[in-house]
Amino acid sequence: MTVAFPFDNTYARLPEGFFTRLGPTPVRAPRLLAVNRRLADELGLTLPDNDAGIAEVFSGNALPGGAEPLAQVYAGHQFGGWSPRLGDGRALLLGEVTDRHGHRRDIQLKGAGPTPYSRMGDGRAWLGPVIREYLVSEAMHALGVPTTRALAAVATGETVLRDAPLPGAVLTRVAASHIRVGTFQYFAARGDTAALRTLTDYTLARHCPEGETALDLLRSVIAAQARLIAQWMGLGFIHGVMNTDNMTLSGETIDYGPCAFMEAYAPGTVYSSIDHYGRYAYANQPQIGIWNLAQLASALLPLIDADEARAVEIATEAVDGYRPAYEAAWTQVFGAKLGVAAPDETTAALATELLELMAAAGTDFTLTFRGLAQGEARALFADPAGFDAWAARWQAHAGPEAAARCAAANPAVIPRNHRVEEAIQAAVAGDMTPFERLGRALATPFTEPADAPELMRPAAAHEAVHATFCGT
Ligand code: AMP
Ligand code: MG
């Protein structure tokens, strides 16, 4: 017996050219690895009453009642190179529900089998990236960052072939929507202005109900992405694959492929094994944000003004708004990290100076900021003289309550790469204990896990992970 979810599928009611309808390809032996019951409850979903039943649903073997599965089409710039048609090559949107707060949320299976957009791919995912996305997306949520969520992870009992044969898995992803910059680019590149208008109106209704025009939408996405990327920077988060198909209109972080949290602070840090030129390095992320938003702006031009030169002028002005919005958001984020109640230019300068000291000393990003609250940061610097001079000015600027505010803004636990790797290796061997232990600590990242202090520590030299791999 399968279940029904309270679906109301607005995307499936868009014109046929927006997607291809098809169902998941069944898997041999689904086995539940993880299910997010709090999220299921928030979504108003009643799950089957046993793990086998849940695994049937979230592997795609048993479609919940009301689902109208489809693969969405989109295009995108990948590492700057244009692809006129990407689309969901291994993901299927099951449908949309309205959560307990009244927000519409997509439920999507990732790794559900081939689609017309699979190109050379097999439509599947292996366990490693499924575990990574589950842990990291849930951690980002707990850290207060807008993000897609993880509802379930199911092992398929099948082998997928990458560099080696690996265990297959399916992730169930929940998102405010899966509309990407690349979705707009797809229709714009085809010169399909009618579809572009339909998509714009649809996206306005879903993500910017107070707006009416393409320009309103563009401005609100620019503001949301400026805030989002500033939050990434405040956590040392490196997305790793900021292609335009991986940038959402909702302002949520999406697509946790080769992402990683930086340990020793170095602005040029790159983990992704395919990012050979460091395009998506930590320090480049804000600039890539503008680049991607400029692609969105250019896709929207025909809707902004009938006179192309005028449209370019208006769109350019909107995109120019990104930098001040980003800088203001950065000052807020790093001001909070320094425990400053009302951050200003002096706060921003202090934050920049601390980052310079950290870069010179190579201190751990997370521990340094966390250590500001407990007075433990100093010990991280081999030569503390520079830090001491900085700290004296910081304390004078931030005031006596700074330390308490710091503790609330700087996490104790982040998904450190070697711990995520450890959870993956164990899961491959059939042991979900490290995944569960890490996930528990990450659910309350501002509280030090008394029973697992090792999760707060950076990797020792022999544990360090230097490269991460795409979800493919
Ligand atoms: P990503 O790097 O995950 O953002 O994926 C980029 C594009 O490649 C998207 O169109 C994906 O659907 C597609 N893709 C990634 N992995 C696979 C796969 N194993 N099979 C089919 N398509 C895939
Ligand atoms: Mg993607």
Side-chain angles (χ1 to χ4, degrees), residues 186-264:
Y186 175 79
F187 295 109
R190 300 160 69 95
D192 189 345
T193 308
L196 203 55
R197 191 174 300 281
T198 301
L199 180 63
T200 300
D201 290 343
Y202 178 85
T203 310
L204 276 164
R206 207 160 160 177
H207 297 304
C208 180
E210 65 288 357
E212 285 172 3
T213 65
L215 182 61
D216 293 337
L217 179 63
L218 177 61
R219 285 193 178 127
S220 92
V221 177
I222 287 169
Q225 287 292 340
R227 282 195 303 271
L228 178 69
I229 296 172
Q231 283 190 279
W232 293 356
M233 300 303 276
L235 292 165
F237 176 76
I238 303 167
H239 182 282
V241 60
M242 287 178 71
N243 296 333
T244 58
D245 54 304
N246 293 336
M247 182 180 262
T248 59
L249 275 279
S250 67
E252 285 183 341
T253 311
I254 197 170
D255 226 319
Y256 292 87
C259 66
F261 285 73
M262 180 162 44
E263 296 210 301

Side-chain angles (χ1 to χ4, degrees), residues 350-399:
L350 277 165
T352 302
E353 283 171 50
L354 176 59
L355 289 169
E356 282 162 6
L357 291 168
M358 288 165 60
T363 62
D364 182 80
F365 186 91
T366 305
L367 285 188
T368 309
F369 282 101
R370 181 74 183 181
L372 292 177
Q374 284 110 333
E376 289 164 357
R378 183 180 194 273
L380 301 171
F381 292 83
D383 171 14
F387 178 80
D388 288 341
W390 176 85
R393 284 185 295 126
W394 166 57
Q395 272 153 7
H397 175 71

